[in-house]
Amino acid sequence: MAGWYAEFFNGQHLQGDPVLTRIDPWIGFEWETGPPAPGVWQDDFSARWTQTLPLQTDHYRFCTMSDDGSRIWVGGQLVLDEWHANSGIAYCGTYWATSGNYEVVVEYYEHGGDALIYMWWEPH
């Protein structure tokens, strides 16, 4: 699978069946005050993206810039937890990896107003 497996939920808590699934080539969206797709609410929605990434032995920074909350899990470990109202501030968490494939999960929720999320990672 190339890209991020995306699941969108109506409601802020990633609960129930997703109202939309798709493959996104990257996580970088500015929906402003509109919905991310037909069938997804424009406010009070949440999303989860999952992908397996090959990482080399190194320290990594995993970052998001979002409006509102975001979390990142790497290999089952929570490395970023900014699950709160936010207006587009960037946050990063660190992770030490040995060479291999790691499942990375990015979670996001939108409360109201503008909606955006960007996610990136880099060795550091």
Side-chain angles (χ1 to χ4, degrees):
M1 171 178 63
W4 294 89
Y5 177 71
E7 302 170 282
F8 288 85
F9 303 84
N10 287 330
Q12 296 181 27
H13 304 291
L14 301 157
Q15 295 175 333
D17 293 329
V19 295
L20 171 70
T21 61
R22 67 185 188 196
I23 303 297
D24 289 326
W26 56 78
I27 302 171
F29 300 99
E30 291 188 39
W31 297 293
E32 298 176 352
T33 58
V40 181
W41 298 342
Q42 70 184 32
D43 291 320
D44 295 316
F45 70 88
S46 53
R48 178 185 298 117
W49 290 270
T50 305
Q51 183 173 194
T52 299
L53 299 177
L55 301 177
Q56 300 302 311
T57 299
D58 208 338
H59 282 97
Y60 287 84
R61 287 176 7 129
F62 286 85
C63 306
T64 62
M65 181 176 72
S66 62
D67 183 343
D68 286 294
S70 61
R71 293 188 285 235
I72 300 176
W73 304 81
V74 180
Q77 179 181 330
L78 182 62
V79 298
L80 178 73
D81 188 5
E82 298 296 338
W83 202 251
H84 55 81
N86 185 7
S87 60
I89 297 170
Y91 294 99
C92 297
T94 59
Y95 184 80
W96 169 255
T98 57
S99 292
N101 293 320
Y102 291 82
E103 182 180 74
V104 177
V105 177
V106 179
E107 297 177 336
Y108 166 77
Y109 86 89
E110 162 58 8
H111 175 66
D114 286 341
L116 68 90
I117 183 165
Y118 289 91
M119 182 273 184
W120 66 97
W121 66 97
E122 59 197 12
H124 110 102

